[in-house]
Amino acid sequence: MKILVCTTILALTLPATTLAQEMKSMDSMDMTGMEQQAGKGNTVHKAVGVVKKVDAKAGKVTLAHDPVKTMNWPAMTMAFAVQDKTMLNNLREGQKVEFEFDQRGKESVITSVK
């Protein structure tokens, strides 16, 4: 409702080309913010785990990790995607790692590993 009122007021007070430019500018700003959130996730989560399996072809690593308080997760074993597949080159089964990840939709994506 507010958008309709604002659009109507703008339409009555601004020339058509200016209104179109303002609307286009607003649309691109909103989409940029949404794309950034979708690409980066909202929160970086930190955890410690042990590598159980490395699947370089799929770009995933299976970790038995400690509880993740920021996700309200108990300790469990699960597969994570990796942001950069070259991270997998340094991971070996049985290795203990500290890692950071973010949630991208239903997928948990590791952004760094130590």
Side-chain angles (χ1 to χ4, degrees):
M1 185 69 160
K2 290 180 183 180
I3 293 173
L4 179 60
V5 172
C6 291
T7 304
T8 303
I9 291 170
L10 284 172
L12 295 173
T13 59
L14 296 174
T17 55
T18 304
L19 175 61
Q21 289 171 345
E22 290 296 320
M23 299 280 291
K24 184 176 179 181
S25 175
M26 288 171 56
D27 285 343
S28 66
M29 284 174 33
D30 291 344
M31 289 303 292
T32 300
M34 290 172 71
E35 289 168 2
Q36 287 174 345
Q37 281 186 358
K40 294 184 178 177
N42 294 326
T43 304
V44 174
H45 307 281
K46 296 180 181 184
V48 175
V50 176
V51 176
K52 294 296 183 180
K53 179 181 174 185
V54 177
D55 186 346
K57 186 175 179 181
K60 294 189 179 232
V61 59
T62 301
L63 297 169
H65 65 76
D66 293 343
V68 182
K69 292 180 183 180
T70 55
M71 291 291 291
N72 199 26
W73 285 354
M76 68 177 107
T77 301
M78 62 180 282
F80 289 84
V82 291
Q83 181 170 294
D84 179 0
K85 287 185 179 184
T86 61
M87 286 186 221
L88 298 174
N89 296 335
N90 298 320
L91 299 178
R92 303 287 175 257
E93 287 185 24
Q95 179 182 6
K96 186 174 181 177
V97 294
E98 295 177 26
F99 63 101
E100 294 181 353
F101 69 97
D102 60 15
Q103 202 63 26
R104 299 179 186 176
K106 294 182 178 183
E107 189 169 52
S108 301
V109 180
I110 294 178
T111 56
S112 74
V113 178
K114 296 179 187 176

